[in-house]
Structures are given as C-alpha cells and as structure tokens.
C-alpha cells in the first residue's frame, strides 16, 4: 500500500487570491477541471457510535473512512473510496460504481456487493455488516486543483463547503445542502517522495500552520 504526504492549511479569501496566482505560475491545471475548478459531492459512511468522526476528532493515528463520490453533477462516473491514515501519511483506494449500485448501497440492498468481484466493494460490505457502517451525510464543495509531475504533487483549494445534514439522497441533484457553519477555505498539498522547493515556498503563508481539518467533521456540526 502506497502512502502519500499531506499538508492541510485553513486559509482566508485573500490567501486564496494570492495562492491562485502563484500556483498558476508554476503548476499545471488539473485536466479534469472545467474553467479551473470542479464541483464535488461525497456521501460519507459512519456507524451508530460515529467511529470515523470520533477517530478524526481524537487524532487516532491509524484510521480509515469510506465515501462515495462524483464530480460536476455527472453521475455516470461514481467512485467508492477508502481513505486511510497512518502516522500522518495518507492512502486512497478507489472502485467504480454505477448509479444503480450506489443507490442500492444507500437503500441497504447489499447482497450483490459480496459477488461484485471488486475487493473494495466487498470490504465495504463486510464492514457494513460487522461495524454497522451506513451512509451518514452529504458533503459538497468546489475545488480548484493544480498538478506538478515531479514528485507527483497535487495542490487544491477547496471552498464553499456545504452539508446535507442527515440527508443521504446522494443522487438527487435537488437535494438541499447548506453552508457548513463557518467552514474556512482549505489548502491541501499532497506529494509522494519529495515536495519541490518551488512549491514548498509558494504554499508557505505567514501565520498559517498545518491543521488536521476534516470536511466530513465540519459537516457534522449540526448532528
């Protein structure tokens, strides 16, 4: 399992304007972005005791969470993702889902998952049975992504974070979401073996420190 380094910083709108121009000067826009950004909708899973939420808040060293996700309102390509953390490093595994499969998971129709032939879907099935994982809440936001091949660096600016409260109607484009309290803009920096000094210098902002920010956690502020 390959793990990546990750920094997160909470920034403000003035920081975003400065970083946007700096990043455009030395990095490439993500080819999947439309007009420099894209919309992300995720549905996070947790159990009745909020295991994923509590482990994040408590800073548990080794933890994982599951979500399903699509981009730019396009439900023809949906991914099941498992994010793992170990000693501050991150790993993400992914498996494709059809809209029908995603809806079946949301509806609790699970038997097909064991026969899917996709290990990550089978793992989610096992943990939905053994840990009681269930769809918990929708998280929406806008992302501006930049990439840099040396070091496999990815820098993103995430904002307009919105919560679906207890709504799990993931595929419904009319599902109402609301701003997640006073959620800040989030700068994320991810890389493999090394972070080029030019990018390291660009993302340094006075008074900004690395923070363990979770969009899922901030979207659970109402319950």
């Amino acid at each position: 399992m390959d793990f990546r380094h990750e920094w997160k910083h909470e920034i403000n709108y003035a920081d975003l304007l400065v970083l946007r121009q700096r990043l455009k000067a030395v990095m490439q826009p993500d080819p999947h972005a439309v007009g420099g950004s894209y919309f992300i909708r995720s549905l996070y899973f947790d159990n009745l005791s909020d295991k994923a939420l509590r482990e994040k808040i408590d800073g548990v060293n080794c933890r994982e969470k599951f979500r399903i996700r699509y981009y730019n309102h396009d439900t023809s390509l949906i991914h099941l993702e498992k994010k793992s953390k170990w000693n501050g490093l991150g790993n993400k595994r992914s498996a494709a889902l059809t809209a029908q499969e995603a809806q079946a998971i949301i509806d609790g129709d699970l038997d097909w998952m064991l026969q899917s032939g996709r290990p990550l879907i089978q793992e989610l099935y096992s943990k939905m049975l053994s840990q009681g994982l269930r769809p918990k809440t929708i998280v929406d936001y806008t992302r501006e992504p930049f990439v840099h091949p040396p070091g496999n660096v990815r820098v993103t600016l995430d904002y307009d974070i919105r919560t679906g409260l207890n709504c799990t109607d993931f595929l419904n484009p009319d599902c109402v979401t609301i701003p997640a309290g006073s959620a800040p803009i989030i700068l994320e920096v991810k890389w493999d073996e090394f972070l080029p000094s030019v990018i390291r210098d660009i993302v340094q902002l006075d008074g900004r420190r690395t923070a363990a920010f979770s969009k899922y956690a901030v979207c659970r502020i109402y319950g």
Side-chain angles (χ1 to χ4, degrees):
M1 183 181 294
D2 296 326
F3 283 83
R4 281 164 59 81
H5 300 270
E6 179 178 301
W7 285 346
K8 291 185 181 181
H9 298 272
E10 298 181 17
I11 64 174
N12 58 36
Y13 186 66
D15 295 330
L16 181 146
L17 295 178
V18 170
L19 283 168
R20 180 186 285 153
Q21 295 308 312
R22 290 180 181 177
L23 294 168
K24 284 181 178 179
V26 299
M27 299 186 72
Q28 304 169 16
D30 187 308
H32 297 101
V34 178
S37 67
Y38 49 70
F39 169 83
I40 298 175
R41 167 162 287 183
S42 301
L43 176 63
Y44 283 81
F45 291 73
D46 215 331
N47 64 11
L48 288 175
S49 61
D50 288 328
K51 177 179 181 290
L53 177 62
R54 294 182 181 279
E55 288 182 347
K56 175 63 179 180
I57 293 173
D58 293 341
V60 174
N61 191 45
C62 298
R63 60 185 187 270
E64 64 184 27
K65 61 187 174 187
F66 288 86
R67 67 191 180 202
I68 52 178
R69 166 175 287 191
Y70 60 86
Y71 300 85
N72 288 332
H73 309 282
D74 180 7
T75 58
S76 67
L77 182 60
I78 301 173
H79 288 99
L80 166 65
E81 296 179 346
K82 175 188 174 183
K83 289 200 70 178
S84 303
K85 281 285 188 178
W86 183 79
N87 285 339
L89 299 176
N91 170 268
K92 183 172 72 174
R93 294 170 54 207
S94 179
L97 290 173
T98 66
Q100 292 78 14
E101 289 170 339
Q103 189 62 55
I105 294 173
I106 294 167
D107 293 340
D109 176 10
L110 310 181
D111 291 344
W112 64 274
M113 299 171 70
L114 189 60
Q115 309 301 325
S116 67
R118 285 163 280 176
L120 189 59
I121 294 174
Q122 293 169 329
E123 181 180 349
L124 177 60
Y125 170 81
S126 173
K127 290 177 178 176
M128 291 182 80
L129 294 185
S130 63
Q131 297 181 11
L133 289 183
R134 291 293 182 271
K136 198 71 172 184
T137 193
I138 290 171
V139 176
D140 289 346
Y141 59 96
T142 298
R143 165 166 286 178
E144 294 185 24
F146 301 86
V147 295
H148 189 69
N152 191 22
V153 182
R154 182 176 179 82
V155 178
T156 57
L157 302 167
D158 297 340
Y159 50 86
D160 192 22
I161 302 171
R162 302 177 66 86
T163 174
L165 301 175
N166 294 321
C167 177
T168 59
D169 198 4
F170 178 68
L171 298 176
N172 180 2
D174 298 321
C175 176
V176 175
T177 60
I178 64 172
S182 56
I185 300 166
I186 302 300
L187 163 68
E188 293 190 8
V189 186
K190 298 179 181 179
W191 71 97
D192 288 345
E193 298 299 328
F194 71 98
L195 179 62
S197 59
V198 63
I199 298 176
R200 184 184 298 270
D201 292 341
I202 281 175
V203 299
Q204 297 300 317
L205 296 169
D206 290 340
R208 303 291 182 264
R209 296 183 178 180
T210 301
F213 184 87
S214 166
K215 299 180 187 72
Y216 170 60
V218 79
C219 284
R220 290 290 310 280
I221 61 173
Y222 299 112

